[in-house]
């Protein structure tokens, strides 16, 4: 019965998505960050419904350590210590999972008890406190606790190259020290997350688009993102899955093509930044996550762009990033304008009206939804598929049926229908049985569903290592 229902459903699905196959689009999670709308608004569930309707596949959110742990926990590494207040974050994680949306958590903000009563941008006196908080939050969203869905993407700190988010940037001789401070924060946070969730993907960086490399009286304290990353790479013991950056234009009304002086990093410098990351960290093809980007609009932001320009710029940005195999995520900041927010870059106005950018986002997110993978030739592909919607409604171990097909340039290579158990991390695993050719590109289209008719549709763009042999005709 499950297999028959799956076949019928997948046949209908293929008819719907067939027109996009010839595009060969790069795939990546695309979504929003907007804690006021998705966590704190009275109608937050309605806003999540709208985000899902816009084809968002990921939501980035900030786990504000100072707010979650306003009082020092007795057992800080325990996910259920009574001092912790996870209520609104729990609501977002549950609501996103119910709608099939992945969540990424950025940990930021030091509680006063951890830094001697200072502001949240001042690091903790002991990084072990951050490590224990990271353990607690990773355990809480490990998928091991009933009613708390799995979260598999994290980053540590927000825009640490800016003094407003991380002090101190310079020592008393004007030398840059923030990369060293941040490296210690990152290592502590990453170790805590990995101790409770080994499969989590953790991004480093989260750097702002611009900064100064020396202190100047009266100017914001900051370090340029290129300089920050270069000096960060000199710190020992850093392991990470992606480098996160925020390559906004430097003024609200400048186009995505704006050129800036290196080592500032806007979209026009992204390629240079990517190759530089490889050089500095002595790695190859480091993945990049764009975890903030957006354009504010008039009249809510007087210095912003028109509604039509916002839509046009969004389209240009996403299309540029789709063509970049390094980019593995794109987050638009924010979802809905708010009079309480400093940013008015939503795809909805303050009154709830759709801007033209809503339609643009929805279309591009539908086209781009999925992930991009590099695979090895001649090796059967072990697929890990996140299925948050199924994990929300089914217990661990529930049989999940999968219909998948592999296509090369629109031509079906193979079709399979395994049945596998739902895992505690909200995923399923199966082998896509085919033999990838060197240098060939494929689309892996999947439909996973349970006995109750709930289903998850997902696509991977697959790129095989090596050169493809010329076929004889």
């Amino acid at each position: 019965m499950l297999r028959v229902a799956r076949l019928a459903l997948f046949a209908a699905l293929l008819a719907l998505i067939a027109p996009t196959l010839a595009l060969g689009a790069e795939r990546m999670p695309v979504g929003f960050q907007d804690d006021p709308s998705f966590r704190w608004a009275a109608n937050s569930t309605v806003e999540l419904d709208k985000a899902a309707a816009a084809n968002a596949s990921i939501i980035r959110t900030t786990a504000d350590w100072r707010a979650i742990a306003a009082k020092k926990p007795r057992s800080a590494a325990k996910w259920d210590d009574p001092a912790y207040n996870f209520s609104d974050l729990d609501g977002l994680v549950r609501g996103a999972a119910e709608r099939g949306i992945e969540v990424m958590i950025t940990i930021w903000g030091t509680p006063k008890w951890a830094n001697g009563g200072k502001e949240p941008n001042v690091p903790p006196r002991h990084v072990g406190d951050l490590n224990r908080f990271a353990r607690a939050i990773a355990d809480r969203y490990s998928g091991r606790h009933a009613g708390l869905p799995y979260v598999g993407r994290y980053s540590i700190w927000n825009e640490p190259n800016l003094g407003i988010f991380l002090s101190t940037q310079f020592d008393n001789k004007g030398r840059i020290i923030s990369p060293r401070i941040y490296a210690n924060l990152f290592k502590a946070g990453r170790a805590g997350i990995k101790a409770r969730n080994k499969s989590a993907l953790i991004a480093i960086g989260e750097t702002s688009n611009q900064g100064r490399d020396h202190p100047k009286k009266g100017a914001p304290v900051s370090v340029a993102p290129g300089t920050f990353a270069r000096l960060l790479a000199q710190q020992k013991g850093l392991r990470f899955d992606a480098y996160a950056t925020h390559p906004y234009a430097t003024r609200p009304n400048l186009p995505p093509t704006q050129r800036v002086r290196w080592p500032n990093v806007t979209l026009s410098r992204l390629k240079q930044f990517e190759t530089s990351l490889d050089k500095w960290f002595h790695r190859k093809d480091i993945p990049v996550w764009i975890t903030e980007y957006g354009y504010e609009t008039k009249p809510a932001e007087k210095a912003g762009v028109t509604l039509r320009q916002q839509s046009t710029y969004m389209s240009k940005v996403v299309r540029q990033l789709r063509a970049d195999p390094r980019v593995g995520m794109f987050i638009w900041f924010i979802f809905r304008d708010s009079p309480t927010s400093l940013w008015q870059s939503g795809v909805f106005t303050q009154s709830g009206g759709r801007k033209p950018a809503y339609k643009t986002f929805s279309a591009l997110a539908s086209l781009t939804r999925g992930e991009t993978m590099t695979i090895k030739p001649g090796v059967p592909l072990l697929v890990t598929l996140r299925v948050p919607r199924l994990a929300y409604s089914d217990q661990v171990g529930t049989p999940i049926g999968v219909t998948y097909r592999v296509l090369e340039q629109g031509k079906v290579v193979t079709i399979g229908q395994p049945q596998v158990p739902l895992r505690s991390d909200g995923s399923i695993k199966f082998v896509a049985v085919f033999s990838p050719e060197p240098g060939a590109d494929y689309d892996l289209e999947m439909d996973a569903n349970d006995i109750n008719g709930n289903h998850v549709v997902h696509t991977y763009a697959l790129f095989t290592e090596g050169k493809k042999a010329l076929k004889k005709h």
Side-chain angles (χ1 to χ4, degrees):
M1 181 176 177
L2 181 64
R3 184 176 294 274
V4 172
R6 207 161 63 234
L7 282 170
L9 181 61
F10 198 63
L13 166 70
L14 294 181
L16 288 173
I17 64 176
T20 69
L21 297 179
L23 295 174
E26 294 289 338
R27 299 281 178 166
M28 61 181 170
V30 176
F32 298 98
Q33 178 171 5
D34 191 342
D35 285 346
S37 295
F38 298 141
R39 287 170 59 180
W40 307 325
N43 65 336
S44 59
T45 56
V46 175
E47 298 301 303
L48 284 173
D49 286 338
K50 292 178 180 177
N55 295 311
S57 55
I58 191 165
I59 289 174
R60 179 185 180 228
T61 188
T62 300
D64 189 336
W65 183 18
R66 61 175 172 168
I68 294 172
K71 294 183 179 180
K72 185 176 181 179
R74 289 186 177 181
S75 301
K78 292 186 177 180
W79 67 275
D80 58 351
D81 188 286
Y84 284 134
N85 178 14
F86 282 106
S87 57
D88 62 310
L89 184 55
D90 285 349
L92 171 61
V93 173
R94 291 191 188 105
E98 184 179 8
R99 292 158 179 82
I101 301 174
E102 192 177 356
V103 171
M104 174 188 171
I105 292 177
T106 297
I107 296 173
W108 178 82
T110 312
K112 290 183 179 298
W113 57 260
N115 65 6
K118 298 178 181 179
E119 294 302 310
N121 64 336
V122 177
R125 289 174 294 186
H126 307 290
V127 294
D129 288 328
L130 176 60
N131 174 274
R132 286 182 281 275
F133 177 67
R135 283 175 179 248
I137 199 168
D139 192 354
R140 190 173 187 86
Y141 304 122
S142 63
R144 293 188 292 266
H145 309 295
L148 293 170
Y150 178 86
V151 173
R153 294 180 190 257
Y154 291 87
S155 64
I156 311 298
W157 233 251
N158 181 66
E159 298 188 342
N161 61 318
L162 302 184
I164 60 172
F165 290 109
L166 178 63
S167 67
T168 306
Q169 296 288 319
F170 305 94
D171 65 12
N172 56 12
K173 294 184 178 180
R175 294 174 296 195
I176 299 170
I177 59 173
S178 53
R180 174 175 54 81
I181 295 172
Y182 173 68
N184 291 330
L185 292 174
F186 179 82
K187 285 186 285 188
R190 181 190 181 278
I193 293 169
K194 285 293 188 179
R196 295 293 185 265
N197 183 351
K198 292 183 179 180
S199 64
L201 300 176
I202 305 173
I204 198 170
E206 292 289 5
T207 44
S208 174
N209 60 343
Q210 59 181 326
R212 295 178 178 272
D213 287 342
H214 57 273
K216 182 178 179 181
K217 188 176 181 179
V221 180
S222 60
V223 173
T227 303
F228 187 90
R230 176 174 57 81
L231 296 177
L232 180 62
Q234 296 174 11
Q235 306 301 311
K236 295 181 179 180
L238 293 174
R239 291 181 291 172
F240 56 92
D241 298 291
Y243 198 101
T245 190
H246 307 164
Y248 292 100
T250 58
R251 291 202 301 271
N253 61 351
L254 293 176
T257 53
Q258 176 210 5
R259 299 194 64 82
V260 293
R261 186 185 298 274
W262 179 262
N264 292 322
V265 179
T266 59
L267 282 178
S268 65
R269 291 286 187 179
L270 188 58
K271 285 289 187 182
Q272 182 178 359
F273 190 53
E274 291 169 348
T275 56
S276 297
L277 288 174
D278 287 356
K279 176 183 177 181
W280 297 330
F281 285 97
H282 306 289
R283 287 174 53 179
K284 183 179 179 182
D285 297 330
I286 293 174
V288 171
W289 293 354
I290 308 300
T291 47
E292 275 191 36
Y293 196 86
Y295 273 97
E296 298 186 84
T297 57
K298 300 175 180 179
E301 172 51 64
K302 294 180 180 179
V305 298
T306 67
L307 299 183
R308 185 59 58 187
Q309 282 177 317
Q310 183 195 43
S311 176
T312 300
Y313 289 169
M314 176 189 285
S315 180
K316 288 181 178 180
V317 169
V318 176
R319 292 179 187 279
Q320 173 184 332
L321 298 179
R322 282 181 59 211
D324 186 341
R326 293 282 199 100
V327 177
M329 182 191 302
F330 177 72
I331 301 292
W332 185 267
F333 188 87
I334 56 178
F335 185 64
R336 177 172 176 166
D337 293 351
S338 168
T340 63
S341 174
L342 296 176
W343 274 77
Q344 307 299 319
S345 54
V347 296
F348 284 89
T349 64
Q350 293 182 15
S351 61
R354 291 182 181 181
K355 299 180 185 179
Y358 171 88
K359 185 176 181 180
T360 301
F361 180 94
S362 180
L364 291 171
S366 176
L367 192 65
T368 309
R369 188 173 187 141
E371 296 179 61
T372 299
M373 296 175 58
T374 300
I375 60 178
K376 294 183 180 297
V379 179
L381 175 63
L382 177 62
V383 180
T384 300
L385 177 62
R386 303 289 176 195
V387 287
R389 183 177 286 113
L390 302 184
Y392 181 82
S393 56
D394 296 316
Q395 294 182 349
V396 174
T398 298
I400 303 297
V402 186
T403 298
Y404 70 85
R405 71 174 190 174
V406 178
L407 302 99
E408 183 182 12
Q409 297 181 346
K411 182 180 179 180
V412 176
V413 175
T414 188
I415 295 177
Q417 284 193 301
Q419 183 169 295
V420 290
L422 180 64
R423 295 159 53 88
S424 62
D425 63 359
S427 74
I428 56 174
K429 284 191 175 183
F430 64 93
V431 175
V433 183
F434 78 110
S435 184
E437 295 185 16
D441 301 340
Y442 302 93
D443 289 309
L444 171 61
E445 299 173 343
M446 299 160 284
D447 171 35
N449 72 302
D450 62 14
I451 193 68
N452 299 311
N454 301 309
H455 69 97
V456 172
V457 176
H458 207 65
T459 300
Y460 284 169
L462 306 176
F463 296 89
T464 314
E465 296 176 347
K467 295 182 179 180
K468 188 173 183 179
L470 294 175
K471 294 182 179 180
K472 296 182 179 179
H473 295 282

